[in-house]
Every structure is written in structure tokens, then in C-alpha cells.
Amino acid sequence: MIHKSTIDAVFDAARLEEVIGDFVQLKKAGSNFKGLSPFSDEKTPSFMVSPVKQIWKDFSSGKGGNVVAFLMEHEHFTYPEAIKYLAKKYNIEVEETEQTDEQKEQADERESMYLVSEFANTFFQNSLNKTEQGKAIGLTYFKERGFTEETIKKFGLGYSPDSWDAFTSEAIKKGYQLKYLEKTGLTIVKEEKQFDRFKGRVMFPIQSMSGRVLGFGGRILTNEKKAAKYLNSPESDIYHKSKVLYGIYHAKQSIAKEDNCYLVEGYTDVIQFNQTGVKNVVSSSGTALTSDQIRLISRLTKNITVLFDSDAAGMRASVRGIDLILEQGMNVKVCSFPDGEDPDSFAKQNTLEELTGYLNENVQDFISFKASLLQQESKNDPIKKAELVRDMVTSISKIPDVIKREIYVQECSRIMDISEDVLFNTLAQIRKVDAKDQQKQQREQKSLEVVKPDVQKAPKVDEQFELERKIIEILLLYGKREEEFEDLILKENEEGDLVLEPEAHTVKVFEKVYLDLQDDEIEFTNDNFKEVYAILIDKLHQEEDFKIENFINHTPPKIASEITAIMMNEERYALHRWHDMEIHVKQKEYTVPQYVSDIILNLRRFLISQKVEELSQKVKAQTVEDNQETIQDIMDYQSLKKILSQKLNRVV
């Protein structure tokens, strides 16, 4: 784990506007910066960055948070990856927490393997671009494939010299240990001899989602029958084929933005698509698709479109992958290319408009695709047709969601002209449900049949949620400020009526809020607000120099996002340039005591209304004798509510 001192140093050094400015074009907007959302397509800026508060808010997607949250959302880093990225940017040494000797050795070994892989990547690129052999063989091959210099550089393509130990000798000369060259699979060691695994091949570096080089794929350019056309790095501590997708580093932002991932088979498919302009594409690198690879995509989107060659082998591989994708709860569509074409060749021969047009027009739902594919094999054979139907229902059975399963059963029934009852029975058999589960499934299906769509109603405002949210806002913005408040003390006047009399005193805002809520025994109903309130009050009590950015940096992402939304609420006015249009928004900071008092009074008034409603329901269930006391309670509460309403200038 990364030591807390490193995390604190990173947050102290990192400037939000600098980090985000590396990814988003920002323009000055008063004391803030604004720009186009990096998470959605838009023409009017809805993305706001506050250098003072060191938080950001994207009003189009609802996302927000601190500098680490941005990197986790935009670059899809894990928390440690984001901290290490910032540490590297600001030249901060990453200190790890105390580890056992074994843990340190493992960490050192992994880091050494990463360093060896990075060196190899640089070596292969230099060999491609700066040696005569590399230019004549490797560079010529890539250019024949239609790759531009920009694309070759972007994907870090390289060339391993056609020599037994060119790479290994250079690595050892530079001080890299042979054991790490062997562990990464870059060098093969046999007794006292060592030689390069990728001798005479063009090289494709395989990167993690954060951009680290994990391994390589190498393609041979000669016609040696004994040599494999493509050769991948062997499994190692840093490279696991089943958990890696080629191109994910370059595709992750586009996948998240487009909310769809194109899945292809080979390296050149990914590169050619990317060069044409379709960037949300990855490859399983010629290996069978795995659950871990699908889960990697699911971090970015729930939608996968499988693209495959028109040959029979490619189609069968796609069919196997479809069931696995469905099993992971993902949505899957498929698209095939014309005879003799694959994603690489088709993208190379067409413009971006033609390519995207073809994909949009020819994409199919997996049911339609499977039906057309398997019907070609079954033709008019009834036995084969029965097998086809079972095959389709097997795919449907992989879907975890019962509603989706029902929809696909209906679609299958329509396409294959078979009754839904037969298909549901087959589905039940395949899923091996017991009698109890069948009854539950029937109830779910029956409920789906009888439920009618509700008439759309205007969303009801949750008043208590909004009031609790405003209290958190008050504590965040003004908690440490000292203000003069007029507390309303409930007293009995000379006529015997209850009245609220003002009593002035000076306290800190958080003390005022805390004491008032404690006096009334008010608890938050929203779990997030309840947690934030408890932490905030504790921090405001203990920390003399309370800083919002420090508070946000050490809260869970979900809560940090909620805090950011509260903190950036007023920045929305700047986005819409209300001031330029002579619409002047009254800033709360000029009337803090009044604002705080009004929110607390409103919460009291709301809770009294709830209590009156509760007592009114109680009256209906009581006897006449018991009603008298309850009715008197209602009258007292109504009287108090009237006083509060008068204070708030509201009509009861």
C-alpha cells in the first residue's frame, strides 16, 4: 500500500487545473475554469473546475470530485494508479507502507519486470526507426499495411532484429539482469546460451489500462513453416493473457464516451480502425475471449459489439464469445463484414463515414445473428432446426436479468415461429430450475403481463432530502465562520400564548447547527448525509485550520462526489453567464445567519408537519376518549408550526 505521507504530499502538490488541463481545454471563467465535458458530446460548456476548492463538476453527466476522482473517471485508473500518476507528474517519491521481506522482494521483482519491458519497447522502436534492417523490413511492412508514422508511433510499434541475441546483449550491456529478461519471456535461456524470443519479428507492445507495457506480440515476416505466424509473450507475474485486451489503453476514453466497445480479433484490426477514426475498439489478441477480459470492458461500458471475419472459423469463435458476454450481464450485438473482408482490410479501404455507416446499418442483435447463422447450417432439416432453437435458448439462459430473458424469448419465438410456452419450458430445463424457482419465475412473468405503464407524473421533491443537503452545504461552506445569530426561544407571554422571542449570541456556524439539531433530537434520514454530517462535525470540532479540499480528499468516492455536487452548485450560474444577462443571483454568503436560521426553521417546520400527519392518522384509529389528548397535541403542534411559518414569512 502507498504510505499516507505520500498521498498527503500528492494532494498538497497537485493542482487540479493543471492536471485536468492535460486532458480538457479549459478557459478562464471568473475565479474558475470551464470547458466542454470530456464524458459526453456537447457544444456548450458544462464542465467546471474550481482552483480555490480544488474540485471539479461535470453538470452534463453529474460526475465530480477531486483530482484523483478525475483521473479515475477519465483515465479509468485505480486509486493507487492515480496517486502514482500524480506522484510521477510532480516528482514525488512513492513511499510504500511497511512490507514483509517477501512482499518487498515480489514488488521489486514486478517493478524490475516492468522496467525491462519498457526498455524492450524503446529498443524495438529504435530498431524499427533508426536501423537499416528495421527500416527495410519492419517499417516497410507497416507502411504496406497502410499505417501512418503517427499511428506507428502512437501504438509503439517496433522491430526485433533478425539476430540471435541483439536485444539480450544490449539489455545486459545496459545493466538489466538476465533473470528478469527470462521472466518476462523476452529472452530464452538454455543452459549457458541465451537468445531473443522475438528474433526477426515486427513488434506490438501490449499495454495495461494505465499504459504500462506488460508483454509483446510479434509477427514473423518470413515463410518459415516451423515458426508461428504470431508469437506472444509467455505468462508472467505482470502479463496474464486472459486478463489483458490489446488496445484498451488507447480505447478506454472513447469506449466510455461512446458507451460501446467494438471487439475484434487481431492487433492490426485495432490499429486500422483507430487510424480510420473509430477508437473504441479492442482485441482479445487471437486468444479465446475470457470472463476477465469482459469484466475489464464492463468497467467502461455495458455494451459490446463483436466484429468478425466472414470466414466460418471466425463466426464460430464469435458465437462462443457471445454466450460468455451474455453470462457476464453485458449487452451484445454483432456485425460481420462482406466476403473476403476483415475489420483491418475493410477499415483500410473506407472512410470514417463509410465505416461507421456500415457498422450502424449492419449491426445485429445476437438473436437475429445466431438465427441467420445457424439456419444456414440446418436448412430444412427439422432435427437440426430443433437443435438450433435449443442453441438459441441456451444463449438466452446465460442472461442473468429475468426481464431481458423474457424479451429475448419473445424475439426468438417471433423469429423461429415457435410458441413462447415451449421456449420458456426449454429455458427452464436448461437453467435446471426447481419447482420453487419455476413458480417464482411464473409470478415474475405474470406480473410483467398485467402491469400497465404508469402515467408520467412530475417528480415529487423530497423536501427533507433537500433540507438535509443544505445543512451539509452550510457546514462545508461556512462551518468555521463566526456569526451573530438570533435564536428564537419559545416562551409564554402574558396572555398565556406560546411565542418565539429573539435572543442574540455569537457562535461558529457548525456549533449553531449542531446544538439546534441536538436540542430537537433531529437525525438525518439520508445515509450519505448522516455519514458526512458525523465526519464533518468531528473535523470542525477538532481541526482549527479546517480545509474543504483536505476533507474531500479523504472521503470515499461516492460521498466525495455528493460533496462536490453541493460545493459546485453555485458555479452553475457562471456556466450559464446569468450575470451577463442581468440575472443577478443572490449569494448566500452575504446573509449567512439568516440562511442558516431559515434552513433549520424549515426543517423544524417540515418535521412538525410530519408529526401532525402521524397524529392525525392516530386519531382515526383511537377511541373518542383517547382522541382528546391526541387532538390537543395536534393543536399545540399546529400552533408551533404557525409561529415558524410567520417567522419564515410563509402561509400555513
Side-chain angles (χ1 to χ4, degrees):
M1 289 178 63
I2 301 173
H3 199 279
K4 185 178 181 298
S5 61
T6 299
I7 296 173
D8 290 341
V10 164
F11 279 122
D12 286 342
R15 300 306 304 161
L16 182 68
E17 62 276 20
E18 291 176 355
V19 176
I20 294 180
D22 291 340
F23 304 95
V24 181
Q25 186 176 1
L26 298 174
K27 293 182 179 180
K28 192 74 173 168
S31 61
N32 301 314
F33 291 91
K34 65 179 179 180
L36 295 174
S37 167
F39 305 108
S40 60
D41 290 319
E42 63 179 14
K43 295 180 180 179
T44 305
S46 68
F47 186 81
M48 206 71 168
V49 176
S50 172
V52 176
K53 300 171 185 174
Q54 284 295 291
I55 54 177
W56 60 275
K57 179 69 179 175
D58 179 21
F59 291 100
S60 65
S61 67
K63 296 175 180 178
N66 59 15
V67 65
V68 168
F70 177 82
L71 291 171
M72 291 174 71
E73 285 285 355
H74 194 267
E75 293 298 291
H76 303 283
F77 286 160
T78 60
Y79 186 87
E81 285 173 345
I83 293 294
K84 287 180 179 179
Y85 173 90
L86 292 169
K88 185 177 180 181
K89 179 177 175 68
Y90 289 96
N91 298 314
I92 296 169
E93 185 178 348
V94 177
E95 183 183 349
E96 305 280 346
T97 53
E98 192 64 34
Q99 297 173 308
T100 64
D101 291 340
E102 186 180 354
Q103 287 173 327
K104 286 179 181 177
E105 187 177 339
Q106 287 176 348
D108 289 343
E109 287 212 349
R110 283 174 58 85
E111 191 58 35
S112 295
M113 291 171 73
Y114 279 126
L115 293 174
V116 164
S117 297
E118 292 290 350
F119 169 75
N121 192 31
T122 302
F123 175 85
F124 295 140
Q125 288 182 54
N126 288 337
S127 178
L128 177 77
N129 296 295
K130 297 179 181 179
T131 68
E132 292 304 317
Q133 188 185 103
K135 291 176 184 177
I137 300 173
L139 203 56
T140 298
Y141 168 77
F142 285 134
K143 288 188 175 179
E144 284 175 354
R145 297 303 299 247
F147 300 157
T148 64
E149 289 185 11
E150 184 183 354
T151 297
I152 292 169
K153 183 178 179 181
K154 178 179 181 179
F155 284 88
L157 306 182
Y159 176 73
S160 180
D162 193 6
S163 169
W164 285 110
D165 64 350
F167 163 73
T168 302
S169 297
E170 183 65 18
I172 291 173
K173 183 180 174 183
K174 293 291 185 183
Y176 294 96
Q177 295 181 38
L178 182 60
K179 70 173 183 177
Y180 296 123
L181 299 176
E182 185 180 14
K183 283 190 172 187
T184 53
L186 288 160
T187 300
I188 297 173
V189 179
K190 285 191 176 180
E191 297 176 353
E192 295 181 1
K193 294 182 179 180
Q194 58 259 355
F195 50 90
D196 299 348
R197 177 180 296 274
F198 296 105
K199 167 184 172 297
R201 293 174 181 268
V202 287
M203 303 299 292
F204 301 84
I206 300 167
Q207 295 171 282
S208 69
M209 189 174 279
S210 61
R212 301 204 81 170
V213 177
L214 307 173
F216 295 88
R219 188 193 193 283
I220 199 165
L221 301 180
T222 61
N223 294 320
E224 293 180 37
K225 292 182 179 179
K226 292 183 180 179
K229 183 179 177 181
Y230 275 98
L231 185 65
N232 277 6
S233 294
E235 293 278 315
S236 71
D237 287 346
I238 64 172
Y239 178 55
H240 304 280
K241 295 177 187 177
S242 64
K243 297 181 179 180
V244 177
L245 286 162
Y246 181 73
I248 191 73
Y249 173 64
H250 298 291
K252 59 187 179 182
Q253 292 178 27
S254 183
I255 291 171
K257 197 167 185 177
E258 300 293 334
D259 196 21
N260 180 49
C261 177
Y262 288 114
L263 183 63
V264 295
E265 188 177 349
Y267 303 128
T268 57
D269 296 331
V270 171
I271 297 169
Q272 199 68 256
F273 255 62
N274 196 286
Q275 182 171 285
T276 304
V278 178
K279 302 184 187 301
N280 53 324
V281 57
V282 298
S283 164
S284 57
S285 305
T287 61
L289 190 65
T290 67
S291 300
D292 285 326
Q293 289 171 332
I294 296 167
R295 281 193 285 271
L296 193 61
I297 296 173
S298 71
R299 288 170 58 183
L300 307 170
T301 181
K302 290 295 180 185
N303 303 303
I304 295 179
T305 302
V306 181
L307 307 179
F308 56 88
D309 307 350
S310 54
D311 65 279
M315 288 188 180
R316 282 193 292 273
S318 295
V319 170
R320 289 192 295 271
I322 285 170
D323 287 359
L324 196 59
I325 295 169
L326 292 169
E327 203 167 36
Q328 295 297 319
M330 303 281 279
N331 305 315
V332 59
K333 291 185 178 181
V334 292
C335 181
S336 61
F337 291 93
D339 289 342
E341 298 279 11
D342 58 25
D344 178 5
S345 63
F346 193 84
K348 183 179 178 181
Q349 296 167 22
N350 290 276
T351 64
L352 175 60
E353 292 73 19
E354 290 168 339
L355 177 57
T356 54
Y358 180 87
L359 294 173
N360 293 333
E361 290 170 14
N362 292 274
V363 71
Q364 286 181 289
D365 187 87
F366 83 91
I367 285 289
S368 302
F369 161 72
K370 209 162 190 181
S372 61
L373 179 62
L374 298 176
Q375 276 178 332
Q376 293 173 15
E377 298 176 5
S378 65
K379 295 183 179 177
N380 296 321
D381 188 329
I383 295 175
K384 286 188 175 179
K385 184 176 180 180
E387 292 174 356
L388 156 66
V389 172
R390 177 169 284 274
D391 195 289
M392 293 172 70
V393 177
T394 298
S395 290
I396 296 172
S397 72
K398 305 291 184 184
I399 302 171
D401 188 272
V402 64
I403 297 176
K404 287 183 181 178
R405 284 204 305 270
E406 173 151 342
I407 291 169
Y408 280 121
V409 164
Q410 292 170 352
E411 184 66 10
C412 185
S413 171
R414 183 187 65 79
I415 293 172
M416 303 306 298
D417 195 25
I418 293 178
S419 74
E420 289 182 22
D421 289 342
V422 170
L423 295 178
F424 275 120
N425 287 335
T426 306
L427 180 64
Q429 291 170 11
I430 293 171
R431 289 178 62 82
K432 298 179 181 179
V433 293
D434 57 25
K436 184 178 180 180
D437 286 338
Q438 284 184 18
Q439 290 173 2
K440 182 181 178 182
Q441 190 176 22
Q442 288 168 1
R443 286 197 301 271
E444 289 173 341
Q445 292 165 4
K446 188 175 180 181
S447 66
L448 286 170
E449 292 169 7
V450 299
V451 172
K452 295 181 180 179
D454 291 333
V455 178
Q456 290 293 320
K457 297 179 180 177
K460 186 178 180 181
V461 176
D462 186 338
E463 190 175 347
Q464 188 161 3
F465 174 90
E466 294 298 332
L467 290 168
E468 290 178 3
R469 192 171 190 269
K470 287 182 184 299
I471 289 173
I472 299 298
E473 177 188 42
I474 286 167
L475 293 173
L476 286 166
L477 294 176
Y478 320 114
K480 278 289 187 179
R481 282 175 59 159
E482 202 166 71
E483 299 284 350
E484 184 179 284
F485 291 92
E486 274 194 354
D487 271 355
L488 296 173
I489 309 301
L490 192 64
K491 294 182 178 180
E492 189 173 310
N493 62 16
E494 294 178 358
E495 288 77 26
D497 296 326
L498 288 173
V499 293
L500 288 171
E501 290 186 2
E503 190 173 288
H505 62 288
T506 301
V507 293
K508 289 182 178 178
V509 170
F510 83 89
E511 293 172 337
K512 161 72 175 173
V513 171
Y514 176 75
L515 292 171
D516 279 8
L517 297 189
Q518 191 178 49
D519 284 347
D520 292 339
E521 297 182 353
I522 295 173
E523 288 192 1
F524 286 80
T525 56
N526 181 277
D527 289 337
N528 281 350
F529 294 155
K530 186 184 295 184
E531 186 174 350
V532 174
Y533 176 76
I535 299 170
L536 258 177
I537 290 295
D538 185 55
K539 294 285 185 185
L540 289 165
H541 266 294
Q542 294 184 22
E543 297 179 8
E544 191 61 37
D545 187 25
F546 175 80
K547 291 183 179 178
I548 295 171
E549 56 267 32
N550 292 342
F551 176 68
I552 295 174
N553 291 341
H554 295 92
T555 56
K558 185 179 178 183
I559 293 175
S561 180
E562 184 65 54
I563 292 170
T564 302
I566 294 170
M567 294 295 298
M568 296 293 280
N569 192 45
E570 289 192 5
E571 270 69 7
R572 188 189 296 265
Y573 307 143
L575 277 173
H576 297 291
R577 301 178 68 189
W578 287 4
H579 186 79
D580 292 354
M581 295 181 282
E582 298 300 319
I583 303 174
H584 300 287
V585 180
K586 186 178 181 181
Q587 300 296 314
K588 290 186 288 292
E589 60 183 304
Y590 298 123
T591 56
V592 170
Q594 184 63 45
Y595 181 65
V596 173
S597 299
D598 281 1
I599 294 300
I600 294 173
L601 287 174
N602 268 303
L603 183 57
R604 284 172 172 163
R605 182 177 178 277
F606 173 81
L607 294 174
I608 288 170
S609 296
Q610 278 195 325
K611 188 66 177 176
V612 169
E613 177 62 28
E614 180 187 318
L615 292 172
S616 298
Q617 294 298 323
K618 187 178 178 181
V619 167
K620 296 177 183 177
Q622 287 178 333
T623 62
V624 176
E625 291 77 11
D626 294 331
N627 273 348
Q628 296 303 317
E629 185 177 345
T630 305
I631 290 171
Q632 184 58 51
D633 287 341
I634 292 173
M635 291 173 64
D636 290 342
Y637 277 119
Q638 288 284 27
S639 176
L640 182 56
K641 182 181 175 182
K642 183 178 179 181
I643 293 169
L644 292 175
S645 297
Q646 288 172 347
K647 178 64 181 175
L648 289 164
N649 295 317
R650 285 199 180 182
V651 179
V652 180

